[in-house]
Amino acid sequence: MTAIFNSFRQIVGNSARRKLFFMWVLVPTAIWPSQAWPELRIDITRGHVDPMPIAITRLVGETGAPSTFGIDIAAVVRVNLERSGLFRAIDERAFIQQPEAIGALPRFADWRLINAQALVSGNVEIEADGRVKVTFRLWDVFAEQQMVGFVYRTVPSNWRRIAHKISDDIFKRITGEQGYFDTRIVYVAESGPLERRVKRLAIMDQDGENHRYLTEGRNLVLTPRFSPTAQEITYLSYVNDQPRVYILNIDTGRREVIGNFPNMTFAPRFSPDGNSVVMSLADNGNSDIYTLDLRNRRETRLTRHPAIDTSPSMSPDGRWISFNSDRGGSQQVYVMEVDGSNVQRISFDRGRYATPVWSPRGDLIAFTKILDGTFYIGVMRPDGTGERLLTEGFLVEGPTWSPNGRVLMFFRQLPNDGTGTESTRLYSIDLTGYNEFEVPTPIDASDPAWSPLIP
């Protein structure tokens, strides 16, 4: 890898290196085990899973002494894995072998005594050029074998992303499925009194860290959505009381108007290939579903019905669109083929349904349900079977999927406390309906959208 990078440095200039450096430093170098991989595995296809006991040690410094970076990285990995609901981090006070004594090979008997099934160890070094070199290894304690190991290099300020990537490596090796920790959340940040609410776009890591605002709050913003590339978002903003749809590049800050659609009810969602968006447009009081080709700005109308058709979401294979409509007399979830044909109602239980969102895996559709004055977040299969309600509240709404389709994020609003204020916060919950957590934000938050894994 060093030789490759040296050749790379000779080929490109300083400016190009600065642009590509961030991408390069997070490409891991594998540390391959010398023996066959063991079969330590969590089966997450079942219902509720008992968390796996895992020992996550602080990563030691160059001299074998505790490292501030190592302590912080281990703490983030621990929180990530525990919040997934699939792992239980063993208290450090129970460790028999200290991290500084692990070296190249743990004393596995010491870790078996505290019932650890897996062990994470590693070290942190500061290289001559100022970069941080992070080495980690995941061990199967009972098989006494290394499961996976990588080396990451980055600038010191980027240490949290290394922690998220290590979390993803562990999650994938033990569950067999992609992780979701190296991701971001874009949402609507809300402040001010109810009659003069200020709404800004904000973005943060999936755990609430590295928070920043994307808009200043002069214009109302609604329904941000990520593109499949994770570098762009689309959202609706009211400028001079006129609704406009924008695409914003997160990294460059470049903003582009993709359409001026009077009375538009919901901001568009990207298609899986990122070349088009599907959206709801209102015309003379009637709302229908359209697609907009981003390459030629051509609109295609998909539904023609006197009812209100809103909240479209495209399936990950690009073949189907889910939406909600009151064409049957009450607000329900429907699916249709991407050309608008073969419309089918899929929700038939009591209550009204809204905001259907297709899972990245294609196996489920999340929705908001309103029944007897209570709001619910639930999931169902694309044919409407297997409905499950995961959480409820005075107002819970706006589900968005993690990129691996195992966790949902949504916003929860508490009732007015009598002082004219309402609290609106973000929460995450897994598909079992367990492990509901508040996602910290500096002010009130609504309408989250979860990014794909950061490239």
PDB file of all heavy atoms in Angstrom, residues 27-32 134-138 146 148-152 165-166 169-170:
ATOM      1  N   VAL A  27      -9.483   3.884   3.038  1.00  0.00           N
ATOM      2  CA  VAL A  27      -9.452   2.569   2.420  1.00  0.00           C
ATOM      3  C   VAL A  27      -8.617   1.671   3.319  1.00  0.00           C
ATOM      4  O   VAL A  27      -7.443   1.924   3.533  1.00  0.00           O
ATOM      5  CB  VAL A  27      -8.836   2.625   1.005  1.00  0.00           C
ATOM      6  CG1 VAL A  27      -8.710   1.236   0.425  1.00  0.00           C
ATOM      7  CG2 VAL A  27      -9.685   3.502   0.109  1.00  0.00           C
ATOM      8  N   PRO A  28      -9.199   0.620   3.905  1.00  0.00           N
ATOM      9  CA  PRO A  28      -8.477  -0.149   4.909  1.00  0.00           C
ATOM     10  C   PRO A  28      -7.461  -1.100   4.300  1.00  0.00           C
ATOM     11  O   PRO A  28      -7.600  -1.572   3.175  1.00  0.00           O
ATOM     12  CB  PRO A  28      -9.597  -0.933   5.604  1.00  0.00           C
ATOM     13  CG  PRO A  28     -10.620  -1.111   4.527  1.00  0.00           C
ATOM     14  CD  PRO A  28     -10.561   0.141   3.700  1.00  0.00           C
ATOM     15  N   THR A  29      -6.418  -1.383   5.072  1.00  0.00           N
ATOM     16  CA  THR A  29      -5.480  -2.457   4.763  1.00  0.00           C
ATOM     17  C   THR A  29      -5.863  -3.657   5.614  1.00  0.00           C
ATOM     18  O   THR A  29      -5.957  -3.558   6.834  1.00  0.00           O
ATOM     19  CB  THR A  29      -4.031  -2.030   5.094  1.00  0.00           C
ATOM     20  OG1 THR A  29      -3.733  -0.847   4.360  1.00  0.00           O
ATOM     21  CG2 THR A  29      -3.059  -3.132   4.724  1.00  0.00           C
ATOM     22  N   ALA A  30      -6.120  -4.781   4.984  1.00  0.00           N
ATOM     23  CA  ALA A  30      -6.597  -5.954   5.716  1.00  0.00           C
ATOM     24  C   ALA A  30      -5.456  -6.630   6.454  1.00  0.00           C
ATOM     25  O   ALA A  30      -4.316  -6.690   5.982  1.00  0.00           O
ATOM     26  CB  ALA A  30      -7.243  -6.941   4.756  1.00  0.00           C
ATOM     27  N   ILE A  31      -5.757  -7.143   7.645  1.00  0.00           N
ATOM     28  CA  ILE A  31      -4.842  -8.001   8.390  1.00  0.00           C
ATOM     29  C   ILE A  31      -5.482  -9.377   8.397  1.00  0.00           C
ATOM     30  O   ILE A  31      -6.401  -9.653   9.159  1.00  0.00           O
ATOM     31  CB  ILE A  31      -4.658  -7.503   9.842  1.00  0.00           C
ATOM     32  CG1 ILE A  31      -4.257  -6.021   9.842  1.00  0.00           C
ATOM     33  CG2 ILE A  31      -3.640  -8.344  10.580  1.00  0.00           C
ATOM     34  CD1 ILE A  31      -4.263  -5.420  11.226  1.00  0.00           C
ATOM     35  N   TRP A  32      -5.030 -10.244   7.511  1.00  0.00           N
ATOM     36  CA  TRP A  32      -5.722 -11.518   7.327  1.00  0.00           C
ATOM     37  C   TRP A  32      -5.318 -12.522   8.387  1.00  0.00           C
ATOM     38  O   TRP A  32      -4.148 -12.636   8.741  1.00  0.00           O
ATOM     39  CB  TRP A  32      -5.396 -12.103   5.946  1.00  0.00           C
ATOM     40  CG  TRP A  32      -5.849 -11.232   4.836  1.00  0.00           C
ATOM     41  CD1 TRP A  32      -5.072 -10.507   3.984  1.00  0.00           C
ATOM     42  CD2 TRP A  32      -7.199 -10.939   4.465  1.00  0.00           C
ATOM     43  NE1 TRP A  32      -5.843  -9.796   3.110  1.00  0.00           N
ATOM     44  CE2 TRP A  32      -7.144 -10.038   3.374  1.00  0.00           C
ATOM     45  CE3 TRP A  32      -8.446 -11.356   4.947  1.00  0.00           C
ATOM     46  CZ2 TRP A  32      -8.283  -9.551   2.764  1.00  0.00           C
ATOM     47  CZ3 TRP A  32      -9.574 -10.867   4.332  1.00  0.00           C
ATOM     48  CH2 TRP A  32      -9.489  -9.979   3.261  1.00  0.00           C
ATOM     49  N   VAL A 134      -4.611   3.567  12.829  1.00  0.00           N
ATOM     50  CA  VAL A 134      -5.429   2.779  13.749  1.00  0.00           C
ATOM     51  C   VAL A 134      -5.458   1.333  13.268  1.00  0.00           C
ATOM     52  O   VAL A 134      -5.849   1.061  12.132  1.00  0.00           O
ATOM     53  CB  VAL A 134      -6.860   3.332  13.842  1.00  0.00           C
ATOM     54  CG1 VAL A 134      -7.704   2.483  14.796  1.00  0.00           C
ATOM     55  CG2 VAL A 134      -6.845   4.786  14.277  1.00  0.00           C
ATOM     56  N   THR A 135      -5.033   0.424  14.133  1.00  0.00           N
ATOM     57  CA  THR A 135      -5.075  -1.008  13.846  1.00  0.00           C
ATOM     58  C   THR A 135      -6.066  -1.660  14.791  1.00  0.00           C
ATOM     59  O   THR A 135      -6.031  -1.402  16.002  1.00  0.00           O
ATOM     60  CB  THR A 135      -3.694  -1.654  14.045  1.00  0.00           C
ATOM     61  OG1 THR A 135      -2.735  -0.983  13.230  1.00  0.00           O
ATOM     62  CG2 THR A 135      -3.724  -3.134  13.682  1.00  0.00           C
ATOM     63  N   PHE A 136      -6.968  -2.468  14.257  1.00  0.00           N
ATOM     64  CA  PHE A 136      -7.872  -3.195  15.147  1.00  0.00           C
ATOM     65  C   PHE A 136      -8.004  -4.640  14.680  1.00  0.00           C
ATOM     66  O   PHE A 136      -7.818  -4.953  13.498  1.00  0.00           O
ATOM     67  CB  PHE A 136      -9.252  -2.517  15.220  1.00  0.00           C
ATOM     68  CG  PHE A 136     -10.277  -3.092  14.282  1.00  0.00           C
ATOM     69  CD1 PHE A 136     -11.178  -4.053  14.721  1.00  0.00           C
ATOM     70  CD2 PHE A 136     -10.327  -2.694  12.959  1.00  0.00           C
ATOM     71  CE1 PHE A 136     -12.115  -4.586  13.865  1.00  0.00           C
ATOM     72  CE2 PHE A 136     -11.264  -3.220  12.090  1.00  0.00           C
ATOM     73  CZ  PHE A 136     -12.167  -4.178  12.538  1.00  0.00           C
ATOM     74  N   ARG A 137      -8.321  -5.518  15.642  1.00  0.00           N
ATOM     75  CA  ARG A 137      -8.540  -6.939  15.364  1.00  0.00           C
ATOM     76  C   ARG A 137      -9.787  -7.402  16.118  1.00  0.00           C
ATOM     77  O   ARG A 137     -10.023  -6.989  17.257  1.00  0.00           O
ATOM     78  CB  ARG A 137      -7.345  -7.784  15.794  1.00  0.00           C
ATOM     79  CG  ARG A 137      -6.038  -7.426  15.104  1.00  0.00           C
ATOM     80  CD  ARG A 137      -4.859  -8.195  15.729  1.00  0.00           C
ATOM     81  NE  ARG A 137      -3.581  -7.734  15.237  1.00  0.00           N
ATOM     82  CZ  ARG A 137      -2.922  -8.249  14.204  1.00  0.00           C
ATOM     83  NH1 ARG A 137      -3.450  -9.266  13.547  1.00  0.00           N
ATOM     84  NH2 ARG A 137      -1.753  -7.778  13.837  1.00  0.00           N
ATOM     85  N   LEU A 138     -10.557  -8.258  15.465  1.00  0.00           N
ATOM     86  CA  LEU A 138     -11.723  -8.890  16.068  1.00  0.00           C
ATOM     87  C   LEU A 138     -11.413 -10.364  16.240  1.00  0.00           C
ATOM     88  O   LEU A 138     -11.043 -11.039  15.274  1.00  0.00           O
ATOM     89  CB  LEU A 138     -12.957  -8.696  15.181  1.00  0.00           C
ATOM     90  CG  LEU A 138     -14.227  -9.444  15.602  1.00  0.00           C
ATOM     91  CD1 LEU A 138     -14.760  -8.915  16.932  1.00  0.00           C
ATOM     92  CD2 LEU A 138     -15.298  -9.330  14.508  1.00  0.00           C
ATOM     93  N   GLN A 146      -8.467 -15.097  15.024  1.00  0.00           N
ATOM     94  CA  GLN A 146      -8.825 -13.775  14.546  1.00  0.00           C
ATOM     95  C   GLN A 146      -9.900 -13.902  13.481  1.00  0.00           C
ATOM     96  O   GLN A 146      -9.809 -14.738  12.581  1.00  0.00           O
ATOM     97  CB  GLN A 146      -7.610 -13.074  13.949  1.00  0.00           C
ATOM     98  CG  GLN A 146      -7.928 -11.697  13.385  1.00  0.00           C
ATOM     99  CD  GLN A 146      -6.725 -11.042  12.738  1.00  0.00           C
ATOM    100  OE1 GLN A 146      -5.654 -11.011  13.312  1.00  0.00           O
ATOM    101  NE2 GLN A 146      -6.908 -10.532  11.522  1.00  0.00           N
ATOM    102  N   VAL A 148     -11.302 -10.876  11.858  1.00  0.00           N
ATOM    103  CA  VAL A 148     -11.028  -9.846  10.871  1.00  0.00           C
ATOM    104  C   VAL A 148     -10.107  -8.815  11.503  1.00  0.00           C
ATOM    105  O   VAL A 148     -10.057  -8.678  12.726  1.00  0.00           O
ATOM    106  CB  VAL A 148     -12.349  -9.182  10.381  1.00  0.00           C
ATOM    107  CG1 VAL A 148     -12.964  -8.309  11.437  1.00  0.00           C
ATOM    108  CG2 VAL A 148     -12.139  -8.399   9.096  1.00  0.00           C
ATOM    109  N   GLY A 149      -9.372  -8.108  10.676  1.00  0.00           N
ATOM    110  CA  GLY A 149      -8.500  -7.042  11.162  1.00  0.00           C
ATOM    111  C   GLY A 149      -8.185  -6.078  10.039  1.00  0.00           C
ATOM    112  O   GLY A 149      -8.027  -6.484   8.887  1.00  0.00           O
ATOM    113  N   PHE A 150      -8.118  -4.782  10.376  1.00  0.00           N
ATOM    114  CA  PHE A 150      -7.820  -3.757   9.374  1.00  0.00           C
ATOM    115  C   PHE A 150      -6.921  -2.687   9.964  1.00  0.00           C
ATOM    116  O   PHE A 150      -6.863  -2.494  11.183  1.00  0.00           O
ATOM    117  CB  PHE A 150      -9.092  -3.085   8.859  1.00  0.00           C
ATOM    118  CG  PHE A 150      -9.926  -3.942   7.947  1.00  0.00           C
ATOM    119  CD1 PHE A 150     -11.158  -4.423   8.366  1.00  0.00           C
ATOM    120  CD2 PHE A 150      -9.491  -4.265   6.665  1.00  0.00           C
ATOM    121  CE1 PHE A 150     -11.933  -5.207   7.525  1.00  0.00           C
ATOM    122  CE2 PHE A 150     -10.258  -5.050   5.828  1.00  0.00           C
ATOM    123  CZ  PHE A 150     -11.479  -5.521   6.252  1.00  0.00           C
ATOM    124  N   VAL A 151      -6.239  -1.974   9.085  1.00  0.00           N
ATOM    125  CA  VAL A 151      -5.482  -0.783   9.435  1.00  0.00           C
ATOM    126  C   VAL A 151      -6.112   0.401   8.709  1.00  0.00           C
ATOM    127  O   VAL A 151      -6.329   0.344   7.499  1.00  0.00           O
ATOM    128  CB  VAL A 151      -3.997  -0.916   9.032  1.00  0.00           C
ATOM    129  CG1 VAL A 151      -3.255   0.392   9.300  1.00  0.00           C
ATOM    130  CG2 VAL A 151      -3.339  -2.070   9.786  1.00  0.00           C
ATOM    131  N   TYR A 152      -6.401   1.464   9.457  1.00  0.00           N
ATOM    132  CA  TYR A 152      -6.922   2.690   8.871  1.00  0.00           C
ATOM    133  C   TYR A 152      -5.959   3.836   9.164  1.00  0.00           C
ATOM    134  O   TYR A 152      -5.365   3.894  10.251  1.00  0.00           O
ATOM    135  CB  TYR A 152      -8.290   3.042   9.460  1.00  0.00           C
ATOM    136  CG  TYR A 152      -9.410   2.124   9.014  1.00  0.00           C
ATOM    137  CD1 TYR A 152      -9.866   1.099   9.842  1.00  0.00           C
ATOM    138  CD2 TYR A 152     -10.019   2.297   7.786  1.00  0.00           C
ATOM    139  CE1 TYR A 152     -10.903   0.269   9.441  1.00  0.00           C
ATOM    140  CE2 TYR A 152     -11.059   1.470   7.378  1.00  0.00           C
ATOM    141  CZ  TYR A 152     -11.492   0.466   8.208  1.00  0.00           C
ATOM    142  OH  TYR A 152     -12.513  -0.351   7.803  1.00  0.00           O
ATOM    143  N   LYS A 165     -16.344   3.128  11.061  1.00  0.00           N
ATOM    144  CA  LYS A 165     -15.981   2.095  10.089  1.00  0.00           C
ATOM    145  C   LYS A 165     -15.593   0.798  10.795  1.00  0.00           C
ATOM    146  O   LYS A 165     -15.900  -0.299  10.318  1.00  0.00           O
ATOM    147  CB  LYS A 165     -14.855   2.588   9.189  1.00  0.00           C
ATOM    148  CG  LYS A 165     -15.284   3.732   8.269  1.00  0.00           C
ATOM    149  CD  LYS A 165     -14.232   4.089   7.257  1.00  0.00           C
ATOM    150  CE  LYS A 165     -14.189   3.078   6.124  1.00  0.00           C
ATOM    151  NZ  LYS A 165     -15.403   3.088   5.295  1.00  0.00           N
ATOM    152  N   ILE A 166     -14.915   0.902  11.935  1.00  0.00           N
ATOM    153  CA  ILE A 166     -14.595  -0.298  12.715  1.00  0.00           C
ATOM    154  C   ILE A 166     -15.891  -0.967  13.178  1.00  0.00           C
ATOM    155  O   ILE A 166     -16.029  -2.197  13.123  1.00  0.00           O
ATOM    156  CB  ILE A 166     -13.692   0.060  13.911  1.00  0.00           C
ATOM    157  CG1 ILE A 166     -12.295   0.444  13.413  1.00  0.00           C
ATOM    158  CG2 ILE A 166     -13.606  -1.101  14.901  1.00  0.00           C
ATOM    159  CD1 ILE A 166     -11.385   0.974  14.498  1.00  0.00           C
ATOM    160  N   ASP A 169     -17.272  -2.851  10.330  1.00  0.00           N
ATOM    161  CA  ASP A 169     -16.495  -4.073  10.073  1.00  0.00           C
ATOM    162  C   ASP A 169     -16.915  -5.196  11.021  1.00  0.00           C
ATOM    163  O   ASP A 169     -17.096  -6.349  10.610  1.00  0.00           O
ATOM    164  CB  ASP A 169     -14.995  -3.796  10.241  1.00  0.00           C
ATOM    165  CG  ASP A 169     -14.438  -2.857   9.182  1.00  0.00           C
ATOM    166  OD1 ASP A 169     -15.007  -2.818   8.073  1.00  0.00           O
ATOM    167  OD2 ASP A 169     -13.448  -2.165   9.473  1.00  0.00           O
ATOM    168  N   ILE A 170     -17.070  -4.857  12.294  1.00  0.00           N
ATOM    169  CA  ILE A 170     -17.459  -5.863  13.295  1.00  0.00           C
ATOM    170  C   ILE A 170     -18.875  -6.361  13.027  1.00  0.00           C
ATOM    171  O   ILE A 170     -19.145  -7.566  13.040  1.00  0.00           O
ATOM    172  CB  ILE A 170     -17.344  -5.260  14.709  1.00  0.00           C
ATOM    173  CG1 ILE A 170     -15.879  -4.941  15.027  1.00  0.00           C
ATOM    174  CG2 ILE A 170     -17.918  -6.225  15.751  1.00  0.00           C
ATOM    175  CD1 ILE A 170     -15.706  -4.099  16.282  1.00  0.00           C
TER     176      ILE A 170
END
